[in-house]
Amino acid sequence: MNALAVIEPEKLSTLLSYDPATGKLFWLPRPVDMFLTQKSARTWNTRYSGGEAFTTLNASGYYHGTLFGRTHAAHRVAWALAHGAWPEGEIDHINGDRSDNRLANLRDVSAAENRKNQKRSRANTSGVTGVHWCNTWNRWIAKIMVGRKTTTIGNFATFEEAVAARAVASQAMGFAPGHGKEGVGA
């Protein structure tokens, strides 16, 4: 289990409910024995019970919230509630929208597989991931990275040839259709 995932999924299910169709988490009523006084239990339940939980959006575009003094990503909590276990790897948002926590949009993947669904880097200047202009050769270069190893696909006289070669390599290596596209995750 992930070091941050110290709360057992069974315990989570007594604190939160998850709607897999919308991807939203909601606070459940808490029993009095979780509080120091009946008044504090009543106050908490009146204020939060039934309300949406984990609504804070971080700078990276992920929803998160706090349980027992620890911050947890909403997509990981959603996965744990839906599957009864914390994810073994990383949670990939299939459509690239980091705030879309619908169960149909989440998958538990390795870090390498998750990188195959990344959006185009903000540092990219050509507009296509894995394609750049080389001033030394005065040609377009197409590259692809798999498993932290970069492979040069080739150098090309035109941008279109480099883009086409990169697209063929991406498909052959099992990259997601949205990989390198401009979007929410970029």
Side-chain angles (χ1 to χ4, degrees):
M1 180 172 31
N2 182 322
L4 290 178
V6 295
I7 302 172
E8 293 297 322
E10 298 79 31
K11 178 74 170 174
L12 278 177
S13 66
T14 67
L15 304 171
L16 296 159
S17 66
Y18 171 61
D19 181 350
T22 64
K24 294 184 178 189
L25 296 162
F26 298 93
W27 294 114
L28 292 174
R30 294 190 180 175
V32 174
D33 63 6
M34 289 187 72
F35 299 91
L36 294 174
T37 66
Q38 274 191 315
K39 182 180 178 186
S40 59
R42 195 170 42 254
T43 300
W44 191 95
N45 283 320
T46 300
R47 183 177 294 165
Y48 298 108
S49 178
E52 192 175 346
F54 287 64
T55 57
T56 304
L57 203 59
N58 69 17
S60 298
Y62 295 104
Y63 281 111
H64 65 93
T66 304
L67 287 171
F68 304 118
R70 281 220 145 138
T71 300
H72 296 272
H75 55 278
R76 295 184 67 79
V77 171
W79 184 271
L81 286 168
H83 295 283
W86 289 99
E88 292 183 18
E90 296 181 0
I91 295 296
D92 177 36
H93 289 81
I94 297 166
N95 68 5
D97 182 350
R98 295 172 174 178
S99 65
D100 182 355
N101 292 323
R102 293 174 298 117
L103 190 58
N105 188 44
L106 304 179
R107 63 185 185 138
D108 185 2
V109 297
S110 68
E113 189 67 23
N114 200 9
R115 284 192 295 275
K116 289 182 177 182
N117 196 22
Q118 285 183 333
K119 298 300 173 202
R120 186 173 66 222
S121 166
R122 290 181 183 160
N124 181 294
T125 57
S126 75
V128 177
T129 297
V131 175
H132 70 275
W133 177 255
C134 177
N135 285 326
T136 306
W137 295 353
N138 286 328
R139 295 185 59 90
W140 289 96
I141 308 297
K143 294 183 176 187
I144 194 163
M145 181 185 280
V146 177
R148 298 191 189 265
K149 182 180 182 222
T150 301
T151 302
T152 300
I153 299 164
N155 61 72
F156 304 89
T158 69
F159 176 72
E160 291 76 18
E161 291 173 318
V163 170
R166 170 56 200 238
V168 168
S170 291
Q171 186 175 12
M173 298 293 192
F175 281 68
H179 177 78
K181 303 287 190 250
E182 186 173 5
V184 178

